[in-house]
Amino acid sequence: MSKQIRLNAFAMNSVGHLAPGLWRHPRDQSTRYTDIHYWIELAKTLERGCIDGLFIADVLGVYDVYGASADAALSNAVQVPVNDPLQLVPAMAAATRHLGFGVTASVSFEHPFPFARRMSTLDHLTQGRAGWNIVTSYLSSGARNLGHHDQLSHDQRYAMAEEYLQVCYKLWETSWEADALRVDRDSGVYADPQKVHGIDHEGTYFKVPGLHLSEPSPQRTPVIYQAGASTRGRAFAAANAECVFVAAPSKPVLKKQVAELRAAAVAAGRGANDILVLEQLTVIVAPTDEAALGLLREYREYASPRGALTLMSGWTGIDFAQYSADQVLREVPSEAIQSVVEAFTRADPTRTWSTAEIADYCAIGGDGPVLVGSAQTVADQLQEWVEDTDVDGFNLASVVAPETFAAVVDLLVPELQRRGLFKREYAEGSLRNKLFGHGDQLRAPHPVARLRAEAGR
Amino acid sequence: MSKQIRLNAFAMNSVGHLAPGLWRHPRDQSTRYTDIHYWIELAKTLERGCIDGLFIADVLGVYDVYGASADAALSNAVQVPVNDPLQLVPAMAAATRHLGFGVTASVSFEHPFPFARRMSTLDHLTQGRAGWNIVTSYLSSGARNLGHHDQLSHDQRYAMAEEYLQVCYKLWETSWEADALRVDRDSGVYADPQKVHGIDHEGTYFKVPGLHLSEPSPQRTPVIYQAGASTRGRAFAAANAECVFVAAPSKPVLKKQVAELRAAAVAAGRGANDILVLEQLTVIVAPTDEAALGLLREYREYASPRGALTLMSGWTGIDFAQYSADQVLREVPSEAIQSVVEAFTRADPTRTWSTAEIADYCAIGGDGPVLVGSAQTVADQLQEWVEDTDVDGFNLASVVAPETFAAVVDLLVPELQRRGLFKREYAEGSLRNKLFGHGDQLRAPHPVARLRAEAGR
């Protein structure tokens, strides 16, 4: 096998992300999340290990399904407090040269006109290392605070998201022609006004006549990430995304998802490999298998089952506080519960999946698999995951920050490099060029190519 | 006189700000505005000179009144392209310890719920050095792109702005009690849920039931800046602002504005000195008066009269492209024009204020005065401005970047320090504490004190 594995680090501008309770671990530093130097150090660590990118999740709301209140989330720091991810990136970019940055932003929270400027600014300040994780759904607690009492239907949300993306594409790709920027000190012409155009967008949800306020950034459109799991979400990703995040509980499930995504990309007129699929995964690696298992045991002492159920309740909409720890959930007569049980049974058919077992599973790494062992053991497993499922790489969650990522960089990466499975140095250029090797900007058959052609660019 | 002068640097995340055409100057580096290191270097320079803060202007639209198109703005880089100011700050904060940062953001562009989180994030990442310049008006080209076809009336805009601010205050000041944050590793309690509250805001423009997503930042409410010049704007500033920006053309006009602002603050139940008034000003300083005048002559060679009129047209709504360069504007039978002429006549009653003279005046430093000379000369003048007008300090615009600011730091600041008019080192603590010496957070009689009391905090 010579396919290069892609590795992303997965974080959030908050204390707890996918390992609730672990902020209590004596070596954990995630309570430093409000310190910009904490993030700069993390970025340097990741770049030392040639990690492709740091992907920053976000929610604009609280996990308030568990116990029908935000109490458990606040008490256990379950993704709350949570700060703006965007502002972390330029400082990390200033301290690195190659690391990519994926920032989560919902199409529901800001008009596309100022948002497109934010992302162009980010792409400029990172010198072309910006990615955007497009979120179309959200916690209902977030919607309530934005006055969205009448939430759009699922399909309307995707229609709105698609138009939002069209507005952004037009601003990024068609407003400024390739040679619009002159910066000619002698003639005194900064930009040629004949080559900068209003986008004249008139749609169902947005009307944007004007020109893009930012001059073209290195990538123009940031690298597009998506994590949609529904049928409509998959179609959206197939048409637009360059990287798709999944969190499959097992290799057979992942294999099916990867195949479906590639088929959907082909159906959308794109290549099967125009989308990189990244599986969410937690790696606990140590010098020996025994040491890694010891670390896992140690970590579990700090894990918060209540925090894990708070996450699960938020994700599924089911209030797990109503079930006792030893409730075997298979016995609960609820379609929603059975769908959850089914998913976990795919991860491990030998367990009964009581409330406590689900809490135990999700307390480390959320809903993604956890690999534990020496670098050799974990590298063997990752290699198997790639060979068996055709996945392109992994979105690695943290348990103890920054220990989990430092161990990946210091132990796992060198082993993958020895096997020829991971790059020893970054490619040059933008994040897009590093990932795909085809230059800094999107190209056909991605739909922006048609938009450019329609605009005569 | 022992009153300490406050000095802010005034910039914009764009090529041109208030000196159109000067990007062509061989020593000007403002075309590096997309490079985060350019901003980090600037921040270090300013901190070396104990400058109080860097204030970053913003517009979300283009200056398209001149010639009824954006052509002149694009060609001369008149505040377009213009990028998001917010993302510059954390990287500059990481490279400094004391410099404050004022970021411009309009209440028209983002819902207060996510916006409040952005500002809390900024205050965390700067360790309490964040300020917010509240903008309530905007270029109509910006409004069109946001689908605000039916712009609110001037008064409605202020009513909306006031409610917007109320929502932010409630999120910043009342959602998290002072002792809500526990971070207790032993008991596993990060925040005490009994001490974190939804704000239950139900107003005319916004309904926000939820809790603030960010834990309290050092200042909670960032330092509030405002630049409103209308009657309603002054009342808004008098009630809320801690620093007010003005751009008076002369000392008598400034003296009147300062007195009116202080009176308005007292009428609003606050102290006359609870508001710092900062006059927009350009300083061209060199080792000798002759050298400074030489610099001004040199700068004028690169100034763009068309760019200056593009700015003036945007500010006044008058298309100056319709008048020839030698048109004496006093002779134009238009109330709007006469109001402009009147303002300029206050700056200099000896000139005829033709179109060309107005362009000449505004090409260096926009609509603010320009002081030129040795450090002694400029310090004498600044001292006079402060003594004659009771202004608190100056918001210094740049001509050639970063040369203008470097000269202020290297020549003017030491002279002011020798005279005991400017601090030799920063005070400790947050931006608010550095400016007012009363601690990190707002206190009575500022209206947040009443909001806190109403919420039982």
Side-chain angles (χ1 to χ4, degrees):
Chain A
M1 188 184 91
S2 64
K3 181 171 172 175
Q4 290 287 304
I5 295 177
R6 298 288 173 185
L7 293 181
N8 252 11
F10 194 18
M12 196 161 183
N13 193 356
S14 63
V15 178
H17 178 206
L18 292 173
L22 267 295
W23 63 271
R24 301 184 298 145
H25 190 287
R27 292 193 302 277
D28 186 81
Q29 295 188 35
S30 64
T31 54
R32 286 180 60 211
Y33 78 103
T34 56
D35 175 0
I36 189 69
H37 297 285
Y38 166 77
W39 294 97
I40 291 170
E41 291 160 21
L42 174 61
K44 287 179 173 172
T45 299
L46 298 175
E47 182 152 290
R48 181 161 56 77
C50 292
I51 302 297
D52 291 284
L54 173 65
F55 170 61
I56 314 177
D58 190 25
V59 290
L60 201 83
V62 290
Y63 286 78
D64 58 4
V65 174
Y66 184 85
S69 88
D71 287 7
L74 284 161
S75 181
N76 294 284
V78 176
Q79 303 193 359
V80 66
V82 56
N83 281 347
D84 179 19
L86 188 72
Q87 295 174 58
L88 303 175
V89 175
M92 291 193 283
T96 54
R97 273 197 58 213
H98 292 291
L99 185 67
F101 300 97
V103 171
T104 299
S106 168
V107 297
S108 310
F109 298 150
E110 186 173 29
H111 189 283
F113 187 69
F115 176 76
R117 186 178 74 142
R118 281 199 209 276
M119 292 310 289
S120 292
T121 303
L122 191 71
D123 200 46
H124 276 299
L125 295 176
T126 59
Q127 297 174 285
R129 293 183 276 149
W132 171 28
N133 176 37
I134 307 180
V135 174
T136 52
S137 58
Y138 39 85
L139 296 174
S140 62
S141 67
R144 281 196 302 276
N145 286 310
L146 291 155
H148 300 181
H149 291 288
D150 305 311
Q151 274 194 50
L152 300 173
S153 72
H154 188 77
D155 277 3
Q156 280 174 321
R157 266 193 296 163
Y158 271 105
M160 196 276 272
E162 266 161 30
E163 189 183 330
Y164 191 104
L165 196 54
Q166 294 302 308
V167 174
C168 290
Y169 284 157
K170 287 178 183 177
L171 289 165
W172 289 328
E173 300 283 346
T174 72
S175 180
W176 293 64
E177 293 188 38
D179 54 352
L181 205 68
R182 295 265 300 278
V183 197
D184 184 338
R185 286 179 145 87
D186 296 327
S187 68
V189 174
Y190 188 80
D192 180 349
Q194 301 311 311
K195 299 191 172 180
V196 184
H197 311 275
I199 63 167
D200 293 326
H201 177 87
E202 291 233 7
T204 308
Y205 301 94
F206 306 106
K207 286 193 177 40
V208 182
L211 56 88
H212 189 36
L213 294 173
S214 300
E215 61 185 82
S217 67
Q219 301 185 120
R220 287 189 178 247
T221 298
V223 173
I224 302 285
Y225 296 78
Q226 225 250 342
S230 67
T231 309
R232 188 81 195 249
R234 193 193 303 134
F236 186 84
N240 294 290
E242 301 173 79
C243 299
V244 174
F245 296 124
V246 294
S250 67
K251 287 192 278 186
V253 175
L254 179 60
K255 182 178 182 174
K256 184 160 172 283
Q257 287 185 359
V258 173
E260 283 171 355
L261 272 163
R262 300 212 193 282
V266 171
R270 299 173 69 201
N273 294 305
D274 285 356
I275 293 178
L276 295 177
V277 186
L278 303 172
E279 160 80 350
Q280 179 192 311
L281 203 73
T282 301
V283 161
I284 298 173
V285 62
T288 64
D289 287 345
E290 293 67 36
L293 287 166
L295 266 184
L296 177 61
R297 274 192 302 274
E298 183 192 302
Y299 291 166
R300 286 213 180 279
E301 285 172 33
Y302 295 92
S304 164
R306 191 162 163 252
L309 293 175
T310 302
L311 283 175
M312 273 304 295
S313 296
W315 292 331
T316 61
I318 299 164
D319 179 2
F320 282 94
Q322 63 191 304
Y323 304 114
S324 66
D326 57 1
Q327 171 72 57
V328 174
L329 293 171
R330 209 184 305 274
E331 294 164 358
V332 175
S334 144
E335 208 173 304
I337 295 273
Q338 290 319 310
S339 152
V340 171
V341 170
E342 199 183 320
F344 281 96
T345 302
R346 281 195 215 104
D348 184 349
T350 68
R351 295 167 82 168
T352 64
W353 295 111
S354 65
T355 310
E357 281 173 303
I358 282 183
D360 187 58
Y361 183 91
C362 293
I364 306 274
D367 49 351
V370 181
L371 306 187
V372 185
S374 68
Q376 289 75 14
T377 300
V378 173
D380 286 348
Q381 292 179 318
L382 289 182
Q383 203 166 345
E384 271 181 36
W385 276 79
V386 172
E387 286 171 357
D388 293 355
T389 69
D390 193 30
V391 77
D392 297 292
F394 304 94
N395 202 24
L396 300 176
S398 174
V399 184
V400 168
E403 177 173 296
T404 308
F405 291 143
V408 164
V409 164
D410 293 329
L411 303 174
L412 177 61
V413 162
E415 176 62 25
L416 292 173
Q417 287 170 331
R418 265 190 294 278
R419 298 179 185 202
L421 297 174
F422 195 69
K423 61 187 168 308
R424 288 179 184 275
E425 54 185 36
Y426 288 97
E428 284 303 314
S430 65
L431 175 59
R432 178 170 289 117
N433 192 58
K434 288 183 208 306
L435 292 176
F436 297 98
H438 298 312
D440 296 339
Q441 291 168 23
L442 277 167
R443 59 171 202 173
H446 192 280
V448 299
R450 192 173 41 89
L451 267 184
R452 284 192 206 120
E454 281 170 10
R457 306 288 172 265
Chain B
M1 188 183 92
S2 64
K3 182 172 172 176
Q4 291 287 303
I5 296 178
R6 297 290 173 183
L7 293 181
N8 253 11
F10 194 18
M12 197 163 183
N13 193 357
S14 62
V15 178
H17 178 205
L18 293 173
L22 267 296
W23 63 270
R24 300 184 299 146
H25 190 288
R27 292 194 301 278
D28 187 81
Q29 294 187 35
S30 64
T31 54
R32 284 180 61 210
Y33 78 103
T34 56
D35 175 359
I36 189 69
H37 297 286
Y38 167 78
W39 294 97
I40 291 171
E41 292 159 20
L42 174 61
K44 286 179 175 172
T45 299
L46 297 175
E47 182 153 289
R48 181 159 57 77
C50 291
I51 302 298
D52 292 284
L54 173 65
F55 170 60
I56 314 177
D58 191 26
V59 290
L60 201 83
V62 291
Y63 286 78
D64 57 5
V65 174
Y66 184 85
S69 87
D71 287 7
L74 284 162
S75 181
N76 294 283
V78 176
Q79 302 193 3
V80 67
V82 56
N83 280 347
D84 178 20
L86 187 73
Q87 296 174 56
L88 302 175
V89 175
M92 291 192 282
T96 54
R97 272 197 58 211
H98 293 291
L99 184 67
F101 300 95
V103 171
T104 300
S106 167
V107 298
S108 310
F109 298 151
E110 187 173 30
H111 189 282
F113 186 71
F115 176 75
R117 187 179 73 143
R118 281 199 210 275
M119 293 310 289
S120 292
T121 302
L122 191 71
D123 200 47
H124 276 298
L125 295 176
T126 58
Q127 296 173 288
R129 293 183 276 150
W132 171 28
N133 177 37
I134 307 181
V135 174
T136 53
S137 58
Y138 39 86
L139 296 175
S140 63
S141 67
R144 282 197 301 276
N145 286 312
L146 291 154
H148 299 180
H149 290 288
D150 305 310
Q151 274 193 50
L152 299 174
S153 73
H154 188 77
D155 278 2
Q156 281 174 320
R157 266 192 294 155
Y158 270 104
M160 196 275 274
E162 267 162 29
E163 190 184 328
Y164 191 103
L165 197 53
Q166 295 301 308
V167 174
C168 290
Y169 283 157
K170 287 180 183 176
L171 288 166
W172 289 327
E173 299 283 346
T174 71
S175 179
W176 291 64
E177 293 188 39
D179 55 351
L181 206 67
R182 296 265 300 277
V183 197
D184 184 338
R185 286 180 143 87
D186 295 327
S187 69
V189 174
Y190 188 81
D192 180 350
Q194 302 309 311
K195 300 188 172 181
V196 185
H197 311 276
I199 64 167
D200 292 328
H201 177 86
E202 291 233 6
T204 307
Y205 300 95
F206 306 106
K207 284 192 176 44
V208 182
L211 56 89
H212 190 35
L213 294 174
S214 300
E215 61 186 82
S217 67
Q219 300 184 122
R220 287 188 175 247
T221 298
V223 173
I224 302 286
Y225 295 77
Q226 225 249 342
S230 68
T231 309
R232 187 77 195 250
R234 194 193 302 133
F236 185 84
N240 293 290
E242 302 173 79
C243 298
V244 174
F245 297 124
V246 295
S250 68
K251 285 191 280 186
V253 175
L254 180 60
K255 183 179 182 172
K256 185 161 171 281
Q257 287 186 0
V258 173
E260 284 172 355
L261 271 163
R262 299 212 195 282
V266 171
R270 300 171 68 200
N273 294 306
D274 286 355
I275 292 179
L276 296 176
V277 186
L278 303 172
E279 160 80 350
Q280 179 191 310
L281 204 74
T282 301
V283 162
I284 297 173
V285 62
T288 65
D289 287 346
E290 293 68 35
L293 288 165
L295 265 185
L296 177 61
R297 275 193 301 275
E298 183 191 301
Y299 292 166
R300 286 214 180 280
E301 287 172 31
Y302 296 92
S304 164
R306 191 160 165 252
L309 292 175
T310 303
L311 282 175
M312 272 304 294
S313 295
W315 292 332
T316 62
I318 298 164
D319 180 1
F320 283 92
Q322 61 192 305
Y323 304 115
S324 66
D326 57 0
Q327 170 72 56
V328 173
L329 293 172
R330 212 184 304 277
E331 295 164 359
V332 175
S334 145
E335 206 172 304
I337 294 274
Q338 291 318 310
S339 152
V340 170
V341 170
E342 198 183 318
F344 280 96
T345 303
R346 281 196 215 102
D348 185 348
T350 68
R351 297 167 81 169
T352 64
W353 295 113
S354 65
T355 309
E357 281 173 304
I358 281 183
D360 188 56
Y361 182 91
C362 292
I364 305 274
D367 50 352
V370 181
L371 307 186
V372 185
S374 69
Q376 290 75 13
T377 301
V378 173
D380 286 349
Q381 293 179 320
L382 289 182
Q383 204 166 344
E384 273 179 36
W385 275 78
V386 171
E387 286 171 357
D388 294 357
T389 69
D390 193 30
V391 77
D392 297 291
F394 303 94
N395 202 24
L396 300 176
S398 173
V399 185
V400 168
E403 176 171 298
T404 308
F405 290 143
V408 165
V409 164
D410 293 329
L411 302 174
L412 177 61
V413 162
E415 177 61 25
L416 292 173
Q417 287 170 333
R418 266 191 293 277
R419 299 181 184 202
L421 297 173
F422 195 70
K423 60 188 170 306
R424 288 180 184 275
E425 54 186 34
Y426 288 97
E428 285 302 315
S430 64
L431 175 58
R432 179 169 288 118
N433 192 59
K434 288 183 209 307
L435 292 175
F436 297 97
H438 299 312
D440 297 339
Q441 290 168 23
L442 278 167
R443 59 172 201 172
H446 192 281
V448 300
R450 192 174 40 90
L451 266 185
R452 283 190 206 120
E454 281 170 9
R457 306 288 170 267

